[in-house]
Amino acid sequence: MIACLVKTRERFMDIGQLLTMPLFFASNAIYPVALMPSWLAAIARLNPLTYLVDALRALMLVGCQSTLGLGTDLAVLSIVLAVLVAVATRLYPIILG
């Protein structure tokens, strides 16, 4: 989506980093949601990266279980994917010919 909106590769990479870092730090990738202050936990629950990290931990680590439930993780990730694909499809210029 970002690549459709910006004109240069450098600007695309800058905006990508600007979006990636807050998503990473406001997820459960570093600290569990249970240890976060309530305001940050609320943000983490809205962050799709939280659900991705939770699912990956449950699937890749022996004896680790999903905190939120794999069904919930996969449902949230599927909904976010569908919404972002729909938005990207609308933003992508249609070239005929």
Side-chain angles (χ1 to χ4, degrees), residues 14-82:
D14 292 342
I15 293 172
Q17 285 296 317
L18 184 69
L19 295 174
T20 302
M21 286 300 143
L23 284 173
F24 176 72
F25 288 117
S27 75
N28 64 346
I30 300 173
Y31 298 104
V33 176
L35 296 178
M36 293 180 183
S38 60
W39 64 271
L40 186 55
I43 293 172
R45 297 255 186 241
L46 297 174
N47 187 348
L49 188 58
T50 297
Y51 298 93
L52 178 64
V53 169
D54 188 54
L56 286 175
R57 280 191 183 135
L59 294 172
M60 295 180 73
L61 297 176
V62 176
C64 186
Q65 294 183 356
S66 173
T67 307
L68 306 167
L70 276 176
T72 303
D73 293 337
L74 295 177
V76 168
L77 291 172
S78 298
I79 291 168
V80 168
L81 174 66

